[in-house]
Amino acid sequence: FLLHEFGERDAAWGPDSPWSPALEHQYAAQAGWPGFLRVWLTSVADLTHTEFDLFYLVALAVGVAFALGWHTRIVSVPFAAVVVALENRSPLLTDGGDNVLTLLSLYLAFTACGRYWSLDARRRARAEARNGDAATESERSAWRVELSRARPRMVAVVHNGAVLLVAAQICIVYGTAGLLKVQGSMWQDGSALGYVLRLNWFHPWPGLSAALAGNALLITLAGYLTVFVQAGFPFIVFSPRLKYPALVMLAGMHLSIAVLLGLPFFSAIMIVGDAVFLSDPVWEAFGTWARGPAYADQMAVSDSTESLPILVYDGDCGFCTTSVRWAERWCRPAARFVPWQQLDLDAHGITHDEVTRAVQWLPAAPEAPVRSGAGAVARTLLRSRWPWRPLGLLMLLPPISWIAAVVYRIVAANRYRLPGGTPACAVPAARGELAQRLGDLGGGPDDAGAGAGGVELAERDHAD
């Protein structure tokens, strides 16, 4: 949000804002805020242009650090202070989403929101792997042992209390909105959304809004559904069977608001608030989908390697070996990389000519067909971690699949010319061409055989 409003920062919150520092002082004095909060807000209003620009850059840095989870417990405090300061600096610019953001930022300061999916979590995992348990309980004093046992409980209590406040706040927002809608005659007769879609202040797509507003039945059903879901959300949330359909409908409602009314940040804030009702299995499944199958984790379990698909490559080709090592490091697909020289080709139903011309994808299911070339590469990417899987999916869809097949054939035919390639990398046709060229250099038929022998010698040396 701060990046989006960077060009208008001074007019919105800076010294040149229509909400002048004098108005800010008067408003803060009448608002009844605590003394420290009033001093903080008025001090932000009294900044000069240079000081305000510096404050804005600090606010950007704090937002990025908090989003990435860098020293989250410490950064959460200045994050809440920045949000409160900017959202209250010009109160006439804020809306319901800004109020929710302010409250959530205060609640998040009391949560352990950097425990997972953060730089803190990565740093903690690396420290544990490097140091392990440096000291056992017998080596520490009694009060340290008791404190280490009590600390996780205290953190859990405070964290769960703050999460409960977030959930209660979202329920209050939806419950209040639903009950207020029920009292309106336009919501009772189902015409409210038709008037909303005709508001000039919220009209980014006039044609789309007009087309939807002209469908009376759709507008009426959407209006009643909105009222029922919002008013009943504080009670629906306790039913596992109804909670997730309600969250899906609310997400659809907020996405519609973002597109039709031009309020993307309000919708994003509300969707973030709704996410607190998702259970741990949902987040774990999302994390697995985002990261993709971990090749290293799969390979660490010896009994699971037999059930993984196999990508067969040429172990004598330097370019192929380099490519496989790169894929193991960066893509980490849930598959095994096996050179065809170490594989029983007849048992897997593939020939020597096939494995020397292109990589082969042997699926885990015996009845599944074998894929080769670009199709094999696409399926390897499809079983990799994010963001390689979307690329693998695109490579399987025409016309991109046709282009990928042509590119693969060109690369395979010239792989001995690529970085890391050797004469052993050439496909059979190219090897014959190399042999012919070496024979031509010798000037006779016998020398051609020597040239071919030179190619075989180069292959043998590379294999060694």
Side-chain angles (χ1 to χ4, degrees), residues 388-408:
W388 302 105
R389 281 183 293 156
L391 179 59
L393 180 61
L394 289 176
M395 290 179 62
L396 294 175
L397 300 176
I400 299 179
S401 60
W402 307 335
I403 300 175
V406 174
V407 172
Y408 182 87

Side-chain angles (χ1 to χ4, degrees), residues 369-395:
V370 177
R371 306 294 182 179
S372 64
V377 175
R379 283 161 176 80
T380 304
L381 296 176
L382 200 59
R383 292 182 62 86
S384 300
R385 62 178 182 177
W386 188 268
W388 302 105
R389 281 183 293 156
L391 179 59
L393 180 61
L394 289 176
M395 290 179 62

Side-chain angles (χ1 to χ4, degrees), residues 166-186:
V166 173
Q169 187 66 58
I170 299 300
C171 288
I172 290 174
V173 170
Y174 285 130
T176 304
L179 294 177
L180 289 176
K181 287 182 175 66
V182 170
Q183 301 177 30
S185 60
M186 294 182 182

Side-chain angles (χ1 to χ4, degrees), residues 73 112 115 144-160:
R73 292 187 182 278
R115 185 67 61 86
R144 291 181 180 272
V145 173
E146 294 298 328
L147 182 61
S148 63
R149 292 177 179 177
R151 184 177 180 276
R153 298 180 182 178
M154 293 186 294
V155 171
V157 170
V158 176
H159 170 84
N160 292 341

